[in-house]
Amino acid sequence: MQNQTIRDIGKYIPFGRNIDNLFRYGTYKTHYQTLLRANNIREEEMLIIGTIARSGTHYMMLLLANYLAKINDKNKTIGPSDMNAIFPNNWHLHYMSYHRLPLGPFNLQEPKKPNELIDGIGLKEITRSHSLFQRIYWKKSPVLHLYRNPLDYAVSLYYYKHKKRLELANRCRNPNEVLKLKFGNYVAMYKSYQNAAREGKYKVLRISYENLIMKPEFYLTAVLQWLGHEPELQIIEDSLLASSIQNVRRAEKIGEVMNPEASNLVGSFINSGQIGQWKKHFNVDDYKRWKKAFRGHEIELDSFILE
């Protein structure tokens, strides 16, 4: 609370943004770089999967985990539990909790040692975060950004965060309410990565959830090549089969958990994964209203893959 109060006050004083950047740069030098060195990780060797929620974060992690495993053993199949063991760290929990600026603590948990399989594609760490693009902390790291059309995002988030959380207070009643609640966050997230990619100063690859779902072979190959690794086609194909929704649901039935941080979740981590499910929840007037709202922030709803 004290950290939040200081940040809130900073928004209303002259040069508040400069002060915030000063805090960020100071913690980058004194905390973040020190922590990475202590764990033998160079920034350039840390892939950060920075995503809008419900945009394929864990699917991409599972694809990468299966690919890494099959480089060493083509008969090995990775499920959710093994995936979380290979990629144990959440960036904003284990490396830099920027929400706790300026006083800290800056990592809420000590980083766990990543699996050595990651060395197979020339990295030392693959971590993830649902955070805004971090210009200071991520300036040397490859950042893979996944995003989703905002209407399907709202549907998926409704089921995941509200419909399947029976004990949650003040649950949203439908995806429209979810999008009203998360509109500002979605816009800020989307534009932060879009602007970073446009500037050309950072190593950012942006992939839509829809493209990943429709062409997973192409985009998994593209990610690996972007990282400087030339993939083997057969291992790519085997990794896709091993990472299917059907396999994940079978693993969940025997007790494996896709996201260990998802507390009080009733049912599967996956809703349907389908593109265009928003049509069951938003009518024409809803669509027009949200199109106008996003256009007000220079985001064209029609530019997304909607079905």
Side-chain angles (χ1 to χ4, degrees):
M1 182 63 70
Q2 189 176 17
N3 284 311
Q4 185 64 55
T5 301
I6 294 171
R7 291 200 306 275
D8 288 344
I9 293 171
K11 294 176 184 177
Y12 298 101
I13 63 174
F15 310 112
R17 183 174 294 276
N18 290 337
I19 294 171
D20 179 67
N21 284 336
L22 184 62
F23 281 133
R24 289 173 183 267
Y25 187 74
T27 52
Y28 168 72
K29 299 297 287 186
T30 61
H31 166 76
Y32 188 64
Q33 287 189 316
T34 301
L35 183 61
L36 293 189
R37 281 195 297 268
N39 286 274
N40 297 312
I41 299 171
R42 295 171 58 242
E43 293 170 67
E44 297 86 349
E45 297 172 330
M46 172 187 275
L47 171 63
I48 298 163
I49 305 176
T51 65
I52 292 177
R54 310 305 292 166
S55 294
T57 311
H58 289 83
Y59 180 48
M60 177 56 73
M61 289 168 58
L62 192 57
L63 288 171
L64 289 170
N66 270 297
Y67 184 85
L68 291 167
K70 290 178 182 297
I71 290 175
N72 291 282
D73 181 354
K74 293 184 179 181
N75 296 315
K76 180 73 172 175
T77 294
I78 297 295
S81 294
D82 288 335
M83 175 195 76
N84 288 310
I86 294 171
F87 310 134
N89 297 315
N90 185 316
W91 184 84
H92 59 264
L93 294 179
H94 294 91
Y95 290 106
M96 185 63 221
S97 183
Y98 62 95
H99 293 298
R100 293 185 176 251
L101 288 168
L103 303 178
F106 300 122
N107 59 308
L108 304 185
Q109 302 172 31
E110 286 301 312
K112 299 173 184 175
K113 182 176 175 56
N115 194 290
E116 292 180 356
L117 288 174
I118 298 173
D119 291 347
I121 56 173
L123 298 173
K124 293 297 182 185
E125 169 68 301
I126 297 177
T127 184
R128 76 275 188 191
S129 181
H130 295 319
S131 76
L132 297 169
F133 185 83
Q134 299 297 310
R135 292 173 172 270
I136 292 175
Y137 304 113
W138 297 354
K139 61 184 179 180
K140 296 180 182 179
S141 295
V143 178
L144 173 59
H145 176 55
L146 304 176
Y147 62 95
R148 188 175 192 170
N149 86 63
L151 301 181
D152 277 343
Y153 152 83
V155 173
S156 185
L157 196 62
Y158 164 68
Y159 281 99
Y160 178 65
K161 281 284 190 181
H162 299 270
K163 182 83 170 176
K164 296 181 179 180
R165 309 290 180 107
L166 303 181
E167 298 179 7
L168 180 68
N170 302 316
R171 287 192 298 158
C172 290
R173 295 170 296 177
N174 54 60
N176 241 318
E177 290 189 359
V178 171
L179 195 50
K180 288 177 185 177
L181 179 67
K182 302 297 289 185
F183 177 76
N185 176 261
Y186 184 98
V187 168
M189 287 275 288
Y190 181 83
K191 296 198 76 170
S192 75
Y193 289 90
Q194 184 186 58
N195 291 337
R198 284 175 174 172
E199 289 171 20
K201 298 189 297 184
Y202 308 97
K203 187 173 182 178
V204 181
L205 178 62
R206 298 174 68 237
I207 299 174
S208 74
Y209 169 86
E210 294 80 14
N211 275 324
L212 178 61
I213 293 300
M214 291 189 297
K215 300 178 180 178
E217 179 178 321
F218 175 86
Y219 283 99
L220 178 57
T221 300
V223 168
L224 292 167
Q225 290 176 331
W226 172 69
L227 291 168
H229 175 81
E230 194 57 44
E232 295 182 41
L233 179 59
Q234 188 59 55
I235 297 181
I236 290 283
E237 293 175 355
D238 293 344
S239 299
L240 298 184
L241 291 173
S243 305
S244 68
I245 287 177
Q246 293 78 9
N247 279 354
V248 170
R249 285 184 168 149
R250 279 195 288 268
E252 287 180 323
K253 287 180 180 179
I254 60 173
E256 294 196 38
V257 178
M258 195 69 166
N259 182 7
E261 296 161 15
S263 59
N264 301 318
L265 179 68
V266 177
S268 175
F269 174 84
I270 300 166
N271 182 38
S272 73
Q274 294 178 350
I275 301 167
Q277 55 188 303
W278 63 271
K279 290 186 173 182
K280 298 178 182 178
H281 302 272
F282 294 87
N283 60 34
V284 173
D285 289 337
D286 293 330
Y287 178 83
K288 289 179 179 178
R289 184 174 64 255
W290 286 116
K291 181 176 180 178
K292 182 179 179 180
F294 279 102
R295 179 169 286 172
H297 293 271
E298 300 180 321
I299 299 173
E300 291 295 332
L301 198 52
D302 292 340
S303 69
F304 293 92
I305 298 171
L306 297 173
E307 57 183 320

